[in-house]
Amino acid sequence: MSSEEESEVVEEIQYETIVDFLEGTPPNKMTRISDLSEHKILRGGRFFQDILRTPEIQLHCPGEACNGTRFFRCVAGVGKELSKKYQYFYLTYRCSNCQAHTKTFSLGARIGAEGEPEGELYKFGELPTYGPPTPPRLIKLIGPDRDTFLKGRRCENQGLGIGSFIYYRRVVESQKNRILNEIIKVSEKIGAPEEKVEVLKAAINETQFSNALDMAKDAIPESLLIDGHSPILLLHSALSEGVHALTDEECLSIASSVRVVLGELSDRLSQALKDEAELSKALSVLMHHKND
C-alpha cells in the first residue's frame, strides 16, 4: 500500500450506547457515544435543541428490598442541553423498585454536530463508586483488612493494575491464617483426613507466605474446589510473580482474578458451614423425635 493510500485509510470509530457507558464504563475515560443526544424542535419549529438522553439503566441496588440488579431512572439532570463545547454536569438516577437508593454520575459531554445523536461523553466519577458490590461474605473472610481490600477494589475499578495487585496481595498475605483457619473449620466439620488437617495447621505456622500456600494447596476439601482446582493453588500461582516482572495490564488481569477467586472461596466456605449446620440441626430434630 502506497503512502497516499495509507493516508486515505480512516480508522473506524468505535461507539458505545449511553446505557452501556453509564452501566459499565469506569471513571476517567472518554468514550464516543452513538446515541448521546436527541433533537428537540422548539417554538413552532423555528428553533431546536440537542438534549442529553437519560434512558433507564440497570444497576445493582443494595437495599434490603432489592439486593440485586434493578432498573434506575434519572431524577436529576434531565433535559440537559448540549453543544459542540464540553458541558459539565451531574446526573442522578434512583432505583425504580425501592425508590431509596441513588447513583450520581459526574460527567462531561459534547455533541459532534448539531442535530446529530453522536458525541463524546467523559465520566469523572460516580457515587457510590463504580463496580459491582463486594459480597458481605468476602468482607467477613478478609476481616481486619477490609479497608485495604477496598483500596485495591478502587484501583481495579480505575484500571490501576499494579496498585490493585499490590493491595490484594497484601490482603491475602496478611489474612493468610484467617483464610486457612476457615478452611480448617470446614475440613473438621466434614471429617476430612487428619493428615490433611495437620498440613493446613502446619501452613498456618509457616511464616513464609509463598511456602504456606504451597503447603496448603493440596489439602483443600473437595467441596471447596473451584472447577476442580484448589483455590489456594490458584492464589499461589497468581501471587507468586513479582510485580516488577509484569505490565500494568497483566497486573490488572491477575488482580481481578484474585478478587474473583477470593469471592468464590468465601461463598463456598459459607455454604459448606451452612450445609453442615443444617445437617446437624436436622439430625438433632430426628434424634429428639426418636427418643420421644
Side-chain angles (χ1 to χ4, degrees):
M1 182 181 294
S2 67
S3 59
E4 291 183 0
E5 291 174 325
E6 289 179 353
S7 64
E8 294 177 357
V9 176
V10 178
E11 184 179 353
E12 183 180 357
I13 298 176
Q14 299 296 318
Y15 286 94
E16 283 188 22
T17 66
I18 191 169
V19 170
D20 289 340
F21 178 86
L22 293 175
E23 290 178 351
T25 298
N28 304 315
K29 184 177 180 181
M30 188 280 289
T31 302
R32 294 182 182 274
I33 305 298
S34 61
D35 56 349
L36 180 66
S37 67
E38 55 186 351
H39 201 56
K40 287 195 173 181
I41 308 297
L42 305 174
R43 298 181 186 176
R46 298 181 60 189
F47 301 96
F48 61 84
Q49 288 181 330
D50 290 294
I51 304 298
L52 176 72
R53 295 185 64 250
T54 52
E56 281 187 341
I57 58 177
Q58 294 186 67
L59 301 171
H60 178 86
C61 179
E64 291 184 6
C66 299
N67 193 28
T69 301
R70 296 292 185 270
F71 281 103
F72 280 63
R73 292 186 176 91
C74 189
V75 294
V78 178
K80 178 67 181 178
E81 184 177 358
L82 302 178
S83 70
K84 291 183 180 180
K85 294 183 179 180
Y86 262 106
Q87 308 291 316
Y88 303 100
F89 51 90
Y90 294 100
L91 289 184
T92 297
Y93 276 76
R94 177 180 292 133
C95 176
S96 298
N97 186 54
C98 68
Q99 297 290 320
H101 289 271
T102 61
K103 166 77 81 170
T104 298
F105 300 96
S106 175
L107 305 169
R110 69 177 180 181
I111 56 173
E114 292 181 351
E116 298 296 329
E118 298 88 0
E120 295 177 353
L121 196 54
Y122 189 92
K123 184 185 288 184
F124 293 98
E126 54 189 82
L127 187 70
T129 54
Y130 170 80
T134 301
R137 291 172 179 172
L138 177 52
I139 293 296
K140 181 180 178 181
L141 178 64
I142 59 180
D145 274 330
R146 173 185 181 275
D147 290 341
T148 301
F149 179 86
L150 293 179
K151 288 179 182 178
R153 192 73 181 94
R154 286 192 288 272
C155 285
E156 183 188 348
N157 290 340
Q158 295 171 15
L160 304 176
I162 293 175
S164 56
F165 181 96
I166 290 174
Y167 279 123
Y168 289 160
R169 180 185 173 91
R170 188 178 301 169
V171 168
V172 177
E173 286 183 344
S174 177
Q175 299 305 316
K176 178 258 296 182
N177 289 355
R178 186 183 182 93
I179 294 170
L180 290 176
N181 269 320
E182 291 300 306
I183 295 174
I184 289 173
K185 286 182 184 178
V186 171
S187 298
E188 291 177 338
K189 285 284 187 181
I190 65 175
E194 184 63 29
E195 57 269 22
K196 289 193 174 184
V197 175
E198 291 302 318
V199 168
L200 292 171
K201 291 179 178 179
I204 289 178
N205 294 325
E206 172 57 54
T207 56
Q208 182 64 37
F209 171 70
S210 183
N211 290 343
L213 293 192
D214 189 51
M215 290 170 61
K217 64 184 180 183
D218 295 323
I220 306 300
E222 187 175 346
S223 60
L224 300 182
L225 298 181
I226 302 174
D227 289 338
H229 301 285
S230 164
I232 297 299
L233 177 58
L234 294 173
L235 292 172
H236 177 262
S237 300
L239 299 174
S240 60
E241 290 191 72
V243 67
H244 299 296
L246 303 168
T247 66
D248 192 69
E249 186 177 352
E250 289 171 331
C251 284
L252 183 61
S253 177
I254 292 174
S256 298
S257 300
V258 167
R259 172 180 54 79
V260 170
V261 168
L262 279 174
E264 183 64 25
L265 175 59
S266 67
D267 284 344
R268 290 173 183 265
L269 285 166
S270 178
Q271 188 61 49
L273 292 173
K274 178 183 176 183
D275 291 345
E276 183 62 28
E278 289 180 348
L279 178 59
S280 297
K281 181 179 179 180
L283 289 175
S284 176
V285 169
L286 292 176
M287 292 301 294
H288 180 74
H289 178 74
K290 178 180 177 181
N291 292 334
D292 289 345

PDB file of all heavy atoms in Angstrom, residues 33-61:
ATOM      1  N   ILE A  33     -20.098   8.175  21.925  1.00  0.00           N
ATOM      2  CA  ILE A  33     -21.435   7.651  22.173  1.00  0.00           C
ATOM      3  C   ILE A  33     -22.283   7.787  20.907  1.00  0.00           C
ATOM      4  O   ILE A  33     -22.342   8.865  20.304  1.00  0.00           O
ATOM      5  CB  ILE A  33     -22.115   8.396  23.336  1.00  0.00           C
ATOM      6  CG1 ILE A  33     -21.226   8.337  24.594  1.00  0.00           C
ATOM      7  CG2 ILE A  33     -23.488   7.809  23.623  1.00  0.00           C
ATOM      8  CD1 ILE A  33     -20.975   6.951  25.123  1.00  0.00           C
ATOM      9  N   SER A  34     -22.947   6.708  20.538  1.00  0.00           N
ATOM     10  CA  SER A  34     -23.740   6.709  19.306  1.00  0.00           C
ATOM     11  C   SER A  34     -25.092   7.392  19.461  1.00  0.00           C
ATOM     12  O   SER A  34     -25.662   7.878  18.486  1.00  0.00           O
ATOM     13  CB  SER A  34     -23.951   5.270  18.823  1.00  0.00           C
ATOM     14  OG  SER A  34     -24.659   4.512  19.797  1.00  0.00           O
ATOM     15  N   ASP A  35     -25.627   7.417  20.688  1.00  0.00           N
ATOM     16  CA  ASP A  35     -26.975   7.960  20.901  1.00  0.00           C
ATOM     17  C   ASP A  35     -26.975   8.950  22.066  1.00  0.00           C
ATOM     18  O   ASP A  35     -27.819   8.896  22.946  1.00  0.00           O
ATOM     19  CB  ASP A  35     -27.966   6.828  21.162  1.00  0.00           C
ATOM     20  CG  ASP A  35     -27.550   5.944  22.341  1.00  0.00           C
ATOM     21  OD1 ASP A  35     -26.402   6.075  22.820  1.00  0.00           O
ATOM     22  OD2 ASP A  35     -28.368   5.118  22.784  1.00  0.00           O
ATOM     23  N   LEU A  36     -26.002   9.850  22.062  1.00  0.00           N
ATOM     24  CA  LEU A  36     -25.823  10.777  23.177  1.00  0.00           C
ATOM     25  C   LEU A  36     -26.989  11.749  23.326  1.00  0.00           C
ATOM     26  O   LEU A  36     -27.434  12.042  24.432  1.00  0.00           O
ATOM     27  CB  LEU A  36     -24.518  11.562  22.992  1.00  0.00           C
ATOM     28  CG  LEU A  36     -24.181  12.584  24.064  1.00  0.00           C
ATOM     29  CD1 LEU A  36     -23.905  11.883  25.392  1.00  0.00           C
ATOM     30  CD2 LEU A  36     -22.977  13.428  23.643  1.00  0.00           C
ATOM     31  N   SER A  37     -27.489  12.275  22.201  1.00  0.00           N
ATOM     32  CA  SER A  37     -28.489  13.335  22.291  1.00  0.00           C
ATOM     33  C   SER A  37     -29.712  13.029  21.442  1.00  0.00           C
ATOM     34  O   SER A  37     -29.699  12.158  20.574  1.00  0.00           O
ATOM     35  CB  SER A  37     -27.881  14.670  21.837  1.00  0.00           C
ATOM     36  OG  SER A  37     -27.585  14.633  20.445  1.00  0.00           O
ATOM     37  N   GLU A  38     -30.756  13.787  21.720  1.00  0.00           N
ATOM     38  CA  GLU A  38     -31.966  13.755  20.904  1.00  0.00           C
ATOM     39  C   GLU A  38     -32.300  15.185  20.503  1.00  0.00           C
ATOM     40  O   GLU A  38     -32.076  16.134  21.263  1.00  0.00           O
ATOM     41  CB  GLU A  38     -33.127  13.099  21.649  1.00  0.00           C
ATOM     42  CG  GLU A  38     -33.448  13.702  22.994  1.00  0.00           C
ATOM     43  CD  GLU A  38     -34.511  12.905  23.734  1.00  0.00           C
ATOM     44  OE1 GLU A  38     -35.102  12.008  23.121  1.00  0.00           O
ATOM     45  OE2 GLU A  38     -34.743  13.194  24.927  1.00  0.00           O
ATOM     46  N   HIS A  39     -32.819  15.338  19.294  1.00  0.00           N
ATOM     47  CA  HIS A  39     -33.056  16.645  18.703  1.00  0.00           C
ATOM     48  C   HIS A  39     -34.487  17.079  19.008  1.00  0.00           C
ATOM     49  O   HIS A  39     -35.431  16.389  18.651  1.00  0.00           O
ATOM     50  CB  HIS A  39     -32.842  16.535  17.187  1.00  0.00           C
ATOM     51  CG  HIS A  39     -32.568  17.837  16.526  1.00  0.00           C
ATOM     52  ND1 HIS A  39     -31.535  18.667  16.897  1.00  0.00           N
ATOM     53  CD2 HIS A  39     -33.192  18.458  15.487  1.00  0.00           C
ATOM     54  CE1 HIS A  39     -31.532  19.725  16.119  1.00  0.00           C
ATOM     55  NE2 HIS A  39     -32.528  19.632  15.255  1.00  0.00           N
ATOM     56  N   LYS A  40     -34.621  18.210  19.688  1.00  0.00           N
ATOM     57  CA  LYS A  40     -35.957  18.700  20.031  1.00  0.00           C
ATOM     58  C   LYS A  40     -36.223  20.030  19.341  1.00  0.00           C
ATOM     59  O   LYS A  40     -35.415  20.962  19.408  1.00  0.00           O
ATOM     60  CB  LYS A  40     -36.110  18.862  21.545  1.00  0.00           C
ATOM     61  CG  LYS A  40     -36.221  17.531  22.275  1.00  0.00           C
ATOM     62  CD  LYS A  40     -36.734  17.725  23.687  1.00  0.00           C
ATOM     63  CE  LYS A  40     -37.009  16.368  24.353  1.00  0.00           C
ATOM     64  NZ  LYS A  40     -37.530  16.521  25.724  1.00  0.00           N
ATOM     65  N   ILE A  41     -37.371  20.105  18.671  1.00  0.00           N
ATOM     66  CA  ILE A  41     -37.784  21.322  17.986  1.00  0.00           C
ATOM     67  C   ILE A  41     -38.604  22.180  18.948  1.00  0.00           C
ATOM     68  O   ILE A  41     -39.514  21.697  19.614  1.00  0.00           O
ATOM     69  CB  ILE A  41     -38.617  21.005  16.730  1.00  0.00           C
ATOM     70  CG1 ILE A  41     -37.862  20.010  15.841  1.00  0.00           C
ATOM     71  CG2 ILE A  41     -38.945  22.283  15.971  1.00  0.00           C
ATOM     72  CD1 ILE A  41     -36.561  20.523  15.309  1.00  0.00           C
ATOM     73  N   LEU A  42     -38.267  23.470  19.024  1.00  0.00           N
ATOM     74  CA  LEU A  42     -38.933  24.375  19.947  1.00  0.00           C
ATOM     75  C   LEU A  42     -39.532  25.562  19.201  1.00  0.00           C
ATOM     76  O   LEU A  42     -39.171  25.871  18.059  1.00  0.00           O
ATOM     77  CB  LEU A  42     -37.935  24.891  20.993  1.00  0.00           C
ATOM     78  CG  LEU A  42     -37.174  23.823  21.804  1.00  0.00           C
ATOM     79  CD1 LEU A  42     -36.137  24.505  22.689  1.00  0.00           C
ATOM     80  CD2 LEU A  42     -38.129  22.999  22.640  1.00  0.00           C
ATOM     81  N   ARG A  43     -40.465  26.230  19.844  1.00  0.00           N
ATOM     82  CA  ARG A  43     -41.034  27.494  19.379  1.00  0.00           C
ATOM     83  C   ARG A  43     -41.546  27.399  17.939  1.00  0.00           C
ATOM     84  O   ARG A  43     -41.065  28.102  17.041  1.00  0.00           O
ATOM     85  CB  ARG A  43     -40.011  28.614  19.491  1.00  0.00           C
ATOM     86  CG  ARG A  43     -39.569  28.871  20.927  1.00  0.00           C
ATOM     87  CD  ARG A  43     -38.577  29.992  20.998  1.00  0.00           C
ATOM     88  NE  ARG A  43     -38.055  30.148  22.346  1.00  0.00           N
ATOM     89  CZ  ARG A  43     -37.102  31.028  22.683  1.00  0.00           C
ATOM     90  NH1 ARG A  43     -36.599  31.843  21.750  1.00  0.00           N
ATOM     91  NH2 ARG A  43     -36.681  31.106  23.924  1.00  0.00           N
ATOM     92  N   GLY A  44     -42.473  26.509  17.737  1.00  0.00           N
ATOM     93  CA  GLY A  44     -43.120  26.418  16.444  1.00  0.00           C
ATOM     94  C   GLY A  44     -42.229  25.962  15.322  1.00  0.00           C
ATOM     95  O   GLY A  44     -42.499  26.250  14.151  1.00  0.00           O
ATOM     96  N   GLY A  45     -41.146  25.262  15.661  1.00  0.00           N
ATOM     97  CA  GLY A  45     -40.272  24.714  14.641  1.00  0.00           C
ATOM     98  C   GLY A  45     -39.172  25.640  14.186  1.00  0.00           C
ATOM     99  O   GLY A  45     -38.386  25.309  13.305  1.00  0.00           O
ATOM    100  N   ARG A  46     -39.079  26.836  14.798  1.00  0.00           N
ATOM    101  CA  ARG A  46     -38.057  27.789  14.360  1.00  0.00           C
ATOM    102  C   ARG A  46     -36.718  27.579  15.053  1.00  0.00           C
ATOM    103  O   ARG A  46     -35.685  28.005  14.549  1.00  0.00           O
ATOM    104  CB  ARG A  46     -38.543  29.210  14.620  1.00  0.00           C
ATOM    105  CG  ARG A  46     -39.799  29.570  13.844  1.00  0.00           C
ATOM    106  CD  ARG A  46     -40.210  30.994  14.118  1.00  0.00           C
ATOM    107  NE  ARG A  46     -39.163  31.942  13.734  1.00  0.00           N
ATOM    108  CZ  ARG A  46     -39.196  33.251  14.028  1.00  0.00           C
ATOM    109  NH1 ARG A  46     -40.223  33.733  14.722  1.00  0.00           N
ATOM    110  NH2 ARG A  46     -38.221  34.052  13.646  1.00  0.00           N
ATOM    111  N   PHE A  47     -36.733  26.944  16.236  1.00  0.00           N
ATOM    112  CA  PHE A  47     -35.502  26.702  16.966  1.00  0.00           C
ATOM    113  C   PHE A  47     -35.460  25.245  17.418  1.00  0.00           C
ATOM    114  O   PHE A  47     -36.493  24.583  17.511  1.00  0.00           O
ATOM    115  CB  PHE A  47     -35.414  27.625  18.196  1.00  0.00           C
ATOM    116  CG  PHE A  47     -35.454  29.079  17.854  1.00  0.00           C
ATOM    117  CD1 PHE A  47     -36.656  29.770  17.909  1.00  0.00           C
ATOM    118  CD2 PHE A  47     -34.308  29.751  17.482  1.00  0.00           C
ATOM    119  CE1 PHE A  47     -36.711  31.122  17.595  1.00  0.00           C
ATOM    120  CE2 PHE A  47     -34.353  31.108  17.163  1.00  0.00           C
ATOM    121  CZ  PHE A  47     -35.543  31.788  17.220  1.00  0.00           C
ATOM    122  N   PHE A  48     -34.263  24.794  17.687  1.00  0.00           N
ATOM    123  CA  PHE A  48     -34.122  23.416  18.150  1.00  0.00           C
ATOM    124  C   PHE A  48     -33.028  23.333  19.207  1.00  0.00           C
ATOM    125  O   PHE A  48     -32.194  24.253  19.337  1.00  0.00           O
ATOM    126  CB  PHE A  48     -33.804  22.472  16.984  1.00  0.00           C
ATOM    127  CG  PHE A  48     -32.511  22.789  16.278  1.00  0.00           C
ATOM    128  CD1 PHE A  48     -31.297  22.315  16.775  1.00  0.00           C
ATOM    129  CD2 PHE A  48     -32.499  23.552  15.120  1.00  0.00           C
ATOM    130  CE1 PHE A  48     -30.106  22.606  16.134  1.00  0.00           C
ATOM    131  CE2 PHE A  48     -31.308  23.851  14.483  1.00  0.00           C
ATOM    132  CZ  PHE A  48     -30.108  23.375  14.992  1.00  0.00           C
ATOM    133  N   GLN A  49     -33.030  22.242  19.958  1.00  0.00           N
ATOM    134  CA  GLN A  49     -32.008  21.977  20.968  1.00  0.00           C
ATOM    135  C   GLN A  49     -31.559  20.527  20.857  1.00  0.00           C
ATOM    136  O   GLN A  49     -32.345  19.648  20.484  1.00  0.00           O
ATOM    137  CB  GLN A  49     -32.561  22.203  22.387  1.00  0.00           C
ATOM    138  CG  GLN A  49     -32.792  23.652  22.747  1.00  0.00           C
ATOM    139  CD  GLN A  49     -33.321  23.782  24.166  1.00  0.00           C
ATOM    140  OE1 GLN A  49     -34.003  22.903  24.669  1.00  0.00           O
ATOM    141  NE2 GLN A  49     -32.995  24.894  24.811  1.00  0.00           N
ATOM    142  N   ASP A  50     -30.292  20.310  21.178  1.00  0.00           N
ATOM    143  CA  ASP A  50     -29.765  18.952  21.324  1.00  0.00           C
ATOM    144  C   ASP A  50     -29.755  18.623  22.809  1.00  0.00           C
ATOM    145  O   ASP A  50     -28.995  19.230  23.581  1.00  0.00           O
ATOM    146  CB  ASP A  50     -28.359  18.848  20.737  1.00  0.00           C
ATOM    147  CG  ASP A  50     -28.367  18.940  19.218  1.00  0.00           C
ATOM    148  OD1 ASP A  50     -28.921  18.014  18.600  1.00  0.00           O
ATOM    149  OD2 ASP A  50     -27.845  19.930  18.665  1.00  0.00           O
ATOM    150  N   ILE A  51     -30.610  17.698  23.210  1.00  0.00           N
ATOM    151  CA  ILE A  51     -30.817  17.376  24.628  1.00  0.00           C
ATOM    152  C   ILE A  51     -30.172  16.021  24.953  1.00  0.00           C
ATOM    153  O   ILE A  51     -30.318  15.054  24.201  1.00  0.00           O
ATOM    154  CB  ILE A  51     -32.323  17.314  24.964  1.00  0.00           C
ATOM    155  CG1 ILE A  51     -33.001  18.622  24.587  1.00  0.00           C
ATOM    156  CG2 ILE A  51     -32.527  17.005  26.445  1.00  0.00           C
ATOM    157  CD1 ILE A  51     -32.478  19.830  25.324  1.00  0.00           C
ATOM    158  N   LEU A  52     -29.456  15.987  26.079  1.00  0.00           N
ATOM    159  CA  LEU A  52     -28.846  14.731  26.534  1.00  0.00           C
ATOM    160  C   LEU A  52     -29.917  13.681  26.797  1.00  0.00           C
ATOM    161  O   LEU A  52     -30.910  13.952  27.477  1.00  0.00           O
ATOM    162  CB  LEU A  52     -28.064  14.976  27.822  1.00  0.00           C
ATOM    163  CG  LEU A  52     -27.445  13.734  28.483  1.00  0.00           C
ATOM    164  CD1 LEU A  52     -26.252  13.245  27.665  1.00  0.00           C
ATOM    165  CD2 LEU A  52     -27.036  14.031  29.912  1.00  0.00           C
ATOM    166  N   ARG A  53     -29.722  12.483  26.261  1.00  0.00           N
ATOM    167  CA  ARG A  53     -30.630  11.382  26.539  1.00  0.00           C
ATOM    168  C   ARG A  53     -30.340  10.817  27.929  1.00  0.00           C
ATOM    169  O   ARG A  53     -29.167  10.670  28.309  1.00  0.00           O
ATOM    170  CB  ARG A  53     -30.490  10.269  25.495  1.00  0.00           C
ATOM    171  CG  ARG A  53     -30.912  10.673  24.099  1.00  0.00           C
ATOM    172  CD  ARG A  53     -30.863   9.477  23.152  1.00  0.00           C
ATOM    173  NE  ARG A  53     -31.826   8.448  23.543  1.00  0.00           N
ATOM    174  CZ  ARG A  53     -31.498   7.268  24.047  1.00  0.00           C
ATOM    175  NH1 ARG A  53     -30.239   6.942  24.253  1.00  0.00           N
ATOM    176  NH2 ARG A  53     -32.430   6.391  24.361  1.00  0.00           N
ATOM    177  N   THR A  54     -31.382  10.496  28.674  1.00  0.00           N
ATOM    178  CA  THR A  54     -31.229   9.906  30.006  1.00  0.00           C
ATOM    179  C   THR A  54     -32.126   8.671  30.112  1.00  0.00           C
ATOM    180  O   THR A  54     -33.122   8.674  30.851  1.00  0.00           O
ATOM    181  CB  THR A  54     -31.584  10.924  31.105  1.00  0.00           C
ATOM    182  OG1 THR A  54     -32.890  11.473  30.823  1.00  0.00           O
ATOM    183  CG2 THR A  54     -30.567  12.042  31.169  1.00  0.00           C
ATOM    184  N   PRO A  55     -31.797   7.614  29.381  1.00  0.00           N
ATOM    185  CA  PRO A  55     -32.647   6.415  29.390  1.00  0.00           C
ATOM    186  C   PRO A  55     -32.536   5.638  30.696  1.00  0.00           C
ATOM    187  O   PRO A  55     -31.648   5.892  31.520  1.00  0.00           O
ATOM    188  CB  PRO A  55     -32.075   5.592  28.229  1.00  0.00           C
ATOM    189  CG  PRO A  55     -30.628   5.987  28.184  1.00  0.00           C
ATOM    190  CD  PRO A  55     -30.607   7.448  28.531  1.00  0.00           C
ATOM    191  N   GLU A  56     -33.461   4.710  30.890  1.00  0.00           N
ATOM    192  CA  GLU A  56     -33.366   3.786  32.028  1.00  0.00           C
ATOM    193  C   GLU A  56     -32.078   2.983  31.926  1.00  0.00           C
ATOM    194  O   GLU A  56     -31.627   2.634  30.841  1.00  0.00           O
ATOM    195  CB  GLU A  56     -34.543   2.801  32.031  1.00  0.00           C
ATOM    196  CG  GLU A  56     -35.844   3.350  32.555  1.00  0.00           C
ATOM    197  CD  GLU A  56     -36.892   2.257  32.684  1.00  0.00           C
ATOM    198  OE1 GLU A  56     -36.736   1.196  32.046  1.00  0.00           O
ATOM    199  OE2 GLU A  56     -37.863   2.457  33.409  1.00  0.00           O
ATOM    200  N   ILE A  57     -31.476   2.685  33.081  1.00  0.00           N
ATOM    201  CA  ILE A  57     -30.298   1.819  33.129  1.00  0.00           C
ATOM    202  C   ILE A  57     -30.514   0.761  34.213  1.00  0.00           C
ATOM    203  O   ILE A  57     -31.397   0.912  35.067  1.00  0.00           O
ATOM    204  CB  ILE A  57     -29.009   2.608  33.407  1.00  0.00           C
ATOM    205  CG1 ILE A  57     -29.117   3.390  34.727  1.00  0.00           C
ATOM    206  CG2 ILE A  57     -28.702   3.550  32.251  1.00  0.00           C
ATOM    207  CD1 ILE A  57     -27.846   4.142  35.090  1.00  0.00           C
ATOM    208  N   GLN A  58     -29.714  -0.284  34.163  1.00  0.00           N
ATOM    209  CA  GLN A  58     -29.802  -1.346  35.165  1.00  0.00           C
ATOM    210  C   GLN A  58     -28.531  -1.358  36.001  1.00  0.00           C
ATOM    211  O   GLN A  58     -27.426  -1.493  35.462  1.00  0.00           O
ATOM    212  CB  GLN A  58     -30.007  -2.701  34.501  1.00  0.00           C
ATOM    213  CG  GLN A  58     -31.338  -2.835  33.789  1.00  0.00           C
ATOM    214  CD  GLN A  58     -31.579  -4.237  33.267  1.00  0.00           C
ATOM    215  OE1 GLN A  58     -31.736  -5.183  34.037  1.00  0.00           O
ATOM    216  NE2 GLN A  58     -31.621  -4.382  31.944  1.00  0.00           N
ATOM    217  N   LEU A  59     -28.693  -1.218  37.312  1.00  0.00           N
ATOM    218  CA  LEU A  59     -27.579  -1.203  38.247  1.00  0.00           C
ATOM    219  C   LEU A  59     -27.914  -2.082  39.450  1.00  0.00           C
ATOM    220  O   LEU A  59     -29.070  -2.428  39.681  1.00  0.00           O
ATOM    221  CB  LEU A  59     -27.317   0.224  38.739  1.00  0.00           C
ATOM    222  CG  LEU A  59     -26.982   1.283  37.692  1.00  0.00           C
ATOM    223  CD1 LEU A  59     -26.987   2.664  38.344  1.00  0.00           C
ATOM    224  CD2 LEU A  59     -25.634   1.002  37.054  1.00  0.00           C
ATOM    225  N   HIS A  60     -26.881  -2.410  40.221  1.00  0.00           N
ATOM    226  CA  HIS A  60     -27.105  -3.170  41.456  1.00  0.00           C
ATOM    227  C   HIS A  60     -27.659  -2.228  42.522  1.00  0.00           C
ATOM    228  O   HIS A  60     -27.105  -1.154  42.773  1.00  0.00           O
ATOM    229  CB  HIS A  60     -25.806  -3.784  41.952  1.00  0.00           C
ATOM    230  CG  HIS A  60     -25.968  -4.543  43.244  1.00  0.00           C
ATOM    231  ND1 HIS A  60     -26.358  -5.868  43.294  1.00  0.00           N
ATOM    232  CD2 HIS A  60     -25.811  -4.147  44.534  1.00  0.00           C
ATOM    233  CE1 HIS A  60     -26.434  -6.262  44.540  1.00  0.00           C
ATOM    234  NE2 HIS A  60     -26.105  -5.233  45.322  1.00  0.00           N
ATOM    235  N   CYS A  61     -28.761  -2.626  43.148  1.00  0.00           N
ATOM    236  CA  CYS A  61     -29.316  -1.877  44.271  1.00  0.00           C
ATOM    237  C   CYS A  61     -29.059  -2.663  45.557  1.00  0.00           C
ATOM    238  O   CYS A  61     -29.477  -3.820  45.670  1.00  0.00           O
ATOM    239  CB  CYS A  61     -30.818  -1.654  44.092  1.00  0.00           C
ATOM    240  SG  CYS A  61     -31.547  -0.746  45.498  1.00  0.00           S
TER     241      CYS A  61
END
